């Protein structure tokens, strides 16, 4: 059995997937690896670009260790993103409150003679 970790192409943020496969086919000068699975008794082949493959190994312990490492980094980064999103929401709320206070202050003085607003006379 082979253990595989691949990067999902064109994902942002980057994602990865791990799986086991009984057989793969490739050539030295090929850009792809063909992974062969059996699903419901049928042979299924999946072509994956070599540049998207992070690991192919028979060493299950190393595969699991690597997956755990990637998952740990992913969780840490997701936590940082969640914190940044929360901070962004707080900043946006603060911005809205500040602008609304400014609008309210202006509306209170809009009727003064030194404010050239045409609508106050209508």
């Amino acid at each position: 059995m082979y253990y595989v970790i691949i990067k999902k192409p064109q994902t942002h943020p980057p994602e990865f997937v791990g799986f086991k496969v009984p057989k793969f086919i490739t050539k030295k000068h090929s850009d792809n690896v063909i992974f062969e699975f059996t699903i419901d008794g049928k042979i299924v082949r999946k072509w994956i670009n070599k540049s998207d493959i992070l690991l192919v190994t028979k060493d299950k312990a190393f595969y699991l260790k690597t997956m755990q490492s990637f998952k740990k980094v992913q969780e840490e980064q997701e936590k940082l993103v969640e914190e940044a999103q929360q901070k962004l929401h707080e900043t946006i709320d603060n911005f809205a409150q500040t602008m609304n206070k400014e609008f309210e202050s202006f509306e209170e003085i809009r009727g003064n003679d030194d404010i050239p607003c045409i609508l106050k006379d209508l």
Side-chain angles (χ1 to χ4, degrees):
M1 191 63 62
Y2 298 95
Y3 300 92
V4 181
I5 303 173
I6 63 168
K7 297 181 289 185
K8 286 185 163 184
Q10 300 174 357
T11 58
H12 186 75
E15 296 179 20
F16 63 96
V17 176
F19 56 91
K20 62 183 182 177
V21 62
K23 182 179 178 182
F24 71 94
I25 304 163
T26 192
K27 293 181 180 177
K28 185 174 185 173
H29 298 289
S30 173
D31 291 337
N32 297 301
V33 175
I34 304 167
F35 293 101
E36 191 173 279
F37 304 87
T38 302
I39 300 175
D40 296 329
K42 296 179 183 176
I43 294 176
V44 177
R45 291 186 174 131
K46 174 75 176 167
W47 277 252
I48 299 177
N49 193 300
K50 281 183 181 177
S51 64
D52 294 330
I53 300 171
L54 298 169
L55 177 68
V56 177
T57 185
K58 285 187 169 190
D59 187 336
K60 184 177 181 179
F62 183 78
Y63 163 80
L64 292 173
K65 179 181 172 186
T66 305
M67 284 292 289
Q68 288 172 346
S69 174
F70 287 166
K71 286 181 181 181
K72 180 181 177 189
V73 170
Q74 180 182 30
E75 289 170 0
E76 291 169 354
Q77 293 303 306
E78 286 173 347
K79 182 179 177 186
L80 291 173
V81 168
E82 288 172 13
E83 290 171 357
Q85 287 175 332
Q86 180 61 34
K87 179 69 174 165
L88 175 61
H89 291 304
E90 291 171 7
T91 302
I92 290 170
D93 289 344
N94 185 44
F95 168 74
Q97 290 173 6
T98 302
M99 289 306 300
N100 285 329
K101 286 179 185 176
E102 189 67 19
F103 296 153
E104 289 170 9
S105 295
F106 184 79
E107 286 174 354
E108 289 175 6
I109 64 166
R110 182 174 55 192
N112 294 348
D113 289 337
D114 59 340
I115 304 293
C117 181
I118 295 171
L119 292 179
K120 69 181 175 186
D121 297 328
L122 300 176

